[in-house]
Amino acid sequence: MYEKIISQNIDRLKSNSEKYSLRKKLFKTDDVLPMWVADMDIVTPPFIVDKIQERLRHPILGYEQMPDSAYNAQIEWMKRRHDLHVNREWMRYSHSVVASINLAIKAYTDIGDKIIVQTPVYFPFMSCIANNERHILKNPLKVDEDGDYTFDLDDLKSKIDKDTKLLLLCSPHNPVGRVWREDELMALAEVCLQNNIKVFADEIHCDLVFKPHKHIPFSSLSDEIRDITVTAIGPAKTFNLAGLSISTVVIADEYMRKSFDKVYDSIHFAEGNILSHVAFESAYMDGDVWLDELMEYLTCNIQLLQDTLSRYDNRLTCKYPQGTYLVWLNCKQLMLNDRELRELFIKKAKLGLSPGISFGREGSGFMRINIAVPQATMKKALKRLTHMLEFI
Ligand SMILES: Cc1ncc(COP(=O)(O)O)c(C=O)c1O
């Protein structure tokens, strides 16, 4: 139904897209095909854009609260797609998941406390902790010889102490693409429960999961686990709405909600922009078919990438991601240091990717590529990659 629309090639050069406009600054050239920041070069669904245009026909753009109908659309979506039961009173508007992480850090920890991150991981996790003068407690993911990542609970247990107050969970995981299984999450939750550690579950990528994998909301594991959890969810990644800055925070436990609200109210988050409200509601009301087709489309892009890599003796390898549209490329066989690796991709492939090292030391030797692009762009990228693979 939507394949033709999803395949559309859109020129983003004139729309001030960060992915394109920051090329010179980041890669020292405008020549690279940018496949770094986590938004899509695939159109935002037209049924959402129509709702925004419809709203703009009203001549007044004054203050608005996000209506309950929008919150309810997200509640129904989470129930329908993820088996998660959320009450309206548990939800707060947030213009940014990263802002919500900062609020949770302020609400649940004090200066000097330790906060756990499972590296390699979305780099703002680290900067949020450092900026709030808390200590980063690294619990690197464990990786086996096949390149499969999992939690390292022995390492975690050995490092926790009385000052360890919060764990920042990335689920599904950016950048390694894992969709955590229920037993893995359960085991992690047990450690947190036993040690009085609260969990911020960043589940912004929860809808972007490839079959047969299934996203398990951390807070759905048990009532007890729900009551130590703050969950961040939103339509930004799923429906390419990052520029509208909208997400929600879900906190079931009343005491935890009160602590969060104290910080939240102190900085006046207000209720966001009015165009994001209609987009949010429309995405969750009408987005099911779009999302299912998008995931099929992204699957083809990953297949194209894997086919290309396999033609070159797997000098670069990647695990089929279980979730997210970010693919974690293992470049260790090239035996280059991280600076050389980045240069190689910029100069010989003319591709602007995210260096693995930016997600923590454990990402050394990796590059992250964003494959949420129309197939024509994917093929262009693979031609460039092929050129690089022939060169090395
Ligand atoms: C795991 C994760 N959390 C948060 C964000 C950003 O969320 P926001 O733009 O709402 O701050 C991203 C964006 O890439 C992400 O990958």
Side-chain angles (χ1 to χ4, degrees), residues 18 62 84 97 101 115 157 205 208 216 246 250 335 362:
E18 187 175 306
L84 180 70
V97 171
I101 294 173
I115 301 177
K157 287 181 213 162
H205 294 279
L208 299 161
I216 309 288
I246 191 158
V250 181
M335 311 281 273
E362 299 74 13

Side-chain angles (χ1 to χ4, degrees), residues 5 27 29 54 81 117 122 167 182 192 211 231 241 245 266 332 369:
I5 301 172
F27 305 104
T29 170
E54 190 182 310
R81 299 202 65 112
V117 288
Y122 179 59
L167 180 143
E182 184 167 352
C192 294
K211 283 182 191 151
T231 306
L241 291 169
S245 300
S266 72
K332 288 191 172 178
I369 181 166

Side-chain angles (χ1 to χ4, degrees), residues 6 81 207-211 290-300 322-325:
I6 293 176
R81 299 202 65 112
D207 299 316
L208 299 161
V209 169
F210 297 100
K211 283 182 191 151
W290 173 275
L291 176 58
D292 294 341
E293 292 195 20
L294 173 74
M295 293 315 288
E296 280 174 28
Y297 195 86
L298 297 178
T299 304
C300 295
Q322 299 173 349
T324 82
Y325 47 67

Side-chain angles (χ1 to χ4, degrees), residues 38 95-99 122 125 170 174 202 204-205 237 247 326:
H95 64 270
S96 151
V97 171
V98 176
Y122 179 59
F125 279 22
C170 197
N174 171 11
D202 177 343
I204 191 75
H205 294 279
K237 302 289 169 199
S247 65
L326 308 162

Side-chain angles (χ1 to χ4, degrees), residues 10-58:
I10 304 292
D11 181 1
R12 298 186 73 188
L13 284 173
K14 294 193 189 90
S15 67
N16 195 28
S17 142
E18 187 175 306
K19 196 185 261 170
Y20 288 80
S21 66
L22 291 183
R23 279 184 300 182
K24 191 95 185 173
K25 186 172 169 203
L26 291 178
F27 305 104
K28 310 279 180 275
T29 170
D30 281 333
D31 217 17
V32 291
L33 189 59
M35 300 175 89
W36 58 287
V37 73
D39 72 9
M40 300 196 242
D41 279 2
I42 289 169
V43 296
T44 300
F47 53 85
I48 298 179
V49 177
D50 286 349
K51 290 283 180 200
I52 295 171
Q53 281 169 341
E54 190 182 310
R55 176 62 190 83
L56 282 173
R57 282 199 282 276
H58 190 284

Side-chain angles (χ1 to χ4, degrees), residues 63-105:
Y63 287 123
E64 284 180 23
Q65 296 279 302
M66 183 147 100
D68 277 343
S69 56
Y71 285 104
N72 287 334
Q74 193 186 37
I75 290 172
E76 288 303 316
W77 173 275
M78 294 310 288
K79 206 183 296 171
R80 191 161 75 239
R81 299 202 65 112
H82 301 295
D83 251 340
L84 180 70
H85 294 265
V86 172
N87 285 348
R88 169 67 189 90
E89 312 86 72
W90 303 349
M91 303 168 84
R92 298 289 176 271
Y93 155 85
S94 167
H95 64 270
S96 151
V97 171
V98 176
S100 306
I101 294 173
N102 279 298
L103 292 181
I105 288 174

